[in-house]
Amino acid sequence: MKMLVAAVMLAVLAAGCSSASGSKNITLAYVAWDSEIASTYVVKEVLEQKLGYKVEMLQVDAGPMWAGISDGSADGIVAAWLPSTHASYADKYKGQYEDLGANLEGTKTGLVVPKYMDINSIEDLNDKTGPELDYKIIGIEPGAGLMMASEKALDAYGLRDKWTLLESSSAAMSQELQKAYDNKEPIVVTGWTPHWMFAKMDLKYLDDPKNVYGSAEQIHTIVRKGLKEDKAEAYAFLDKFNWTPEDMAKVMVAIQGGETPEAAAKAWVEGNAELVDAWLK
C-alpha cells in the first residue's frame, strides 16, 4: 500500500511539473484598457492558432498583474507601460520578472479634453473651467498608474482643494467622454494613446508643464522568471512581438465598433501574415 501511495504521489508531481513547464498551457494577464485588450488578444490568437497553445486570460488591475508575473501565477504580459506609468510596480518587483523590452513605441498619458473646449493646460483648471465641469475629472480603475499620476497632478497644480478625481473604469470613462462629446459638453478625462477615442473624436491632451505624466512611453512585454526554459517557443514569440500604434488602433476600433476581441484579433492576424510570420521565425 505504501508503495502504491508513493507511486500515485510521484505521478501527481510529475503531472504538475509537466503542466508548469513543458505543457502547452500558458497564462496571460492584462489590464482592461482598450489598448491592452487589443494587444493581449492578438498575442492569444497567435499563441493558439500558430503555436498550438491553450491560453488562459486573466483580466486584473495593474497591481495584481505585476504581482502575478512576479510570483509566477501568470506567464506573461504585453501591457507594461514604462518608464513612468507602471514605475512603482516595476520597482516594487524588481528582480522577480524578465523584461523583454518594448512591443510598442510612442505612447502617452495625461488629461484629455475635446478640442472644442477653450482650455489648453492643466494649469487652466484653476480658472473659470471649474464650475462648468463640477470640479470633476473622470478617471479609470483605482490603482492604475495613470490614476496615481493624476493624483500627483492634483497636488502639483494646486487643484486638490477643489477638484475630485473620480474612480471609474476605462470603459465607463470612454462612455462618459463619448456622451459629453456628442452633446458638445465640457469634460476632462484621464486618457492615453493609443486609444480608439482619438480616432472617433477630435481630442487634445492638456499641456503638462510640470511634466507630472512624463514624456512619451513604451509598452513592454514582461514574462515570469523561467519562462524561457519552460516554454521556449512561446518565449521566443513574445520576445519578438512588436507592432505600431496604427496596428493596435485597427484592432481597438474594430472592437469598439462591435466586434468581439477574439474576432478583431483573428481578422488582424489574418490580414498581417507577413508581420506575424516575422514574429515566429
Side-chain angles (χ1 to χ4, degrees), residues 66-102:
W66 278 88
I69 282 294
S70 301
D71 67 18
S73 56
D75 292 302
I77 62 175
V78 291
W81 285 57
L82 298 169
S84 301
T85 304
H86 287 164
S88 61
Y89 301 118
D91 291 341
K92 179 178 180 179
Y93 298 107
K94 189 174 182 178
Q96 300 177 49
Y97 58 83
E98 184 177 354
D99 186 348
L100 299 185

Side-chain angles (χ1 to χ4, degrees), residues 195-213:
H195 193 290
W196 62 262
M197 63 187 182
F198 288 93
K200 293 288 187 178
M201 294 172 269
D202 204 6
L203 308 172
K204 61 184 177 182
Y205 282 96
L206 294 182
D207 292 339
D208 177 21
K210 298 183 185 294
N211 201 36
V212 175
Y213 290 95

Side-chain angles (χ1 to χ4, degrees), residues 1-2 14-15 65 146 173 179 200 223 251 255 275:
M1 178 62 72
K2 289 182 179 180
M65 179 179 73
L146 177 56
M173 176 276 292
K179 180 181 176 182
K200 293 288 187 178
V223 299
V251 182
I255 296 171
L275 177 56

Side-chain angles (χ1 to χ4, degrees), residues 113-114 116-117 129 132-133 180-181 183-188:
V113 300
Y116 56 71
M117 288 182 62
T129 57
E132 68 183 47
L133 289 161
Y181 188 86
N183 294 314
K184 290 293 186 287
E185 296 171 348
I187 188 171
V188 180

